[in-house]
Amino acid sequence: MIRTRAAAPLALAFAASWVAACTGGESAYRAGPSTTPASSDVAATESGPPLGAEESAPPSLDRPGLGTEFGEQVDSRVVDQPFERSSSDPFALVAVHYNDADGVEAQARSRGGALAPFSFSMAQDGLSIALVGEDGEALPGLTAPDRLYVVGRAGQRYSIHISNHTDGRFEVVASVDGLDVIDGRQASPAKRGYIVPPRGSLTIDGWRTSNDRVAAFRFAPVRDSYASRTGDDRNVGVIGFAFFAEAGAQTGSTGRRTGDEIGVRESADPFPGRYAAPPP
């Protein structure tokens, strides 16, 4: 599902910070306030889920299908960087649902639609999102009425890949199974996220456990998912994205904000003179 704000979502400065691929080597940038760095505190630890997770009561019944487990540690460096949002509201919210093949088919049938392969992007082709496997290839995607689905299999590791095709920076707050990918707690767009670089990309490999490592995303039975182990599997099976533009970002020699330019182009009228004008 792709949802944008009704009130002129494109009249924004399309911008975000540099977020390199989070897979070892390069450092990614985590957005923070424009005046002070974001806190480096994280909820998860190197040894596993947050303190107390193991004591949480497991669901009484096993649920079918897939969730995402708290996987092995993966190198992924992050550095705090200032980022001031142009609005407290995201200009776009995106939800991608996932399950195993049987589960996706059942979910699609329940919505009264047939499945069809898809490749999706959003924000007037300004951003694109994919779930990719360890081989770097996008996982198969399917569409049904008002839903985007990705098919996975138990044990499969995946990453979230976001590409920015604009000249501005964006901040993205991402969640998996209703849990924020940075602190592992209940997700909210009000939290701080990662920065996606202009004409660049961001790869999120797992839940952040420190400034240097993450716990890899792996599909698993719901009972083994991170959400279930921390006590609430209600939102298993969905990956969410909230995108924010950067305040005051400008691009080009005219100084027009990227979002303004996109908005003007998207509202361009091919037949502006459709009615006769009176003579001078």
Side-chain angles (χ1 to χ4, degrees), residues 174-186:
S175 69
V176 174
D177 296 349
L179 303 178
D180 185 270
V181 299
I182 291 180
D183 66 15
R185 297 174 180 170
Q186 186 175 31

Side-chain angles (χ1 to χ4, degrees), residues 10-56:
L10 295 179
L12 297 170
F14 273 48
S17 329
W18 202 96
V19 177
C22 289
T23 332
E26 298 177 277
S27 294
Y29 289 101
R30 182 173 54 192
S34 58
T35 54
T36 59
S39 170
S40 60
D41 293 340
V42 292
T45 65
E46 294 273 350
S47 58
L51 184 63
E54 297 299 336
E55 289 77 20
S56 300

Side-chain angles (χ1 to χ4, degrees), residues 72 139 158 175 230 254:
E72 70 276 17
L139 301 184
Y158 72 90
S175 69
T230 52
T254 64

Side-chain angles (χ1 to χ4, degrees), residues 32-188:
S34 58
T35 54
T36 59
S39 170
S40 60
D41 293 340
V42 292
T45 65
E46 294 273 350
S47 58
L51 184 63
E54 297 299 336
E55 289 77 20
S56 300
S60 56
L61 296 174
D62 283 345
R63 291 177 54 188
L66 297 178
T68 298
E69 69 177 343
F70 192 92
E72 70 276 17
Q73 294 293 310
V74 176
D75 290 338
S76 171
R77 291 190 293 275
V78 68
V79 177
D80 290 337
Q81 187 173 89
F83 184 97
E84 182 181 356
R85 296 174 177 178
S86 64
S87 170
S88 59
D89 296 323
F91 69 82
L93 293 172
V94 181
V96 179
H97 297 259
Y98 71 86
N99 208 337
D100 56 27
D102 290 342
V104 166
E105 184 177 356
Q107 287 176 255
R109 281 200 308 268
S110 74
R111 302 190 65 79
L115 291 171
F118 82 94
S119 174
F120 72 94
S121 59
M122 51 156 288
Q124 286 69 44
D125 295 326
L127 295 165
S128 60
I129 305 167
L131 299 191
V132 298
E134 291 186 78
D135 59 1
E137 296 295 320
L139 301 184
L142 300 165
T143 60
D146 301 320
R147 283 291 187 274
L148 302 173
Y149 293 108
V150 167
V151 177
R153 64 179 188 276
Q156 181 179 29
R157 179 179 160 187
Y158 72 90
S159 299
I160 299 167
H161 188 79
I162 303 171
S163 296
N164 179 5
H165 309 291
T166 79
D167 293 326
R169 304 191 315 162
F170 296 89
E171 180 182 355
V172 58
V173 179
S175 69
V176 174
D177 296 349
L179 303 178
D180 185 270
V181 299
I182 291 180
D183 66 15
R185 297 174 180 170
Q186 186 175 31
S188 168

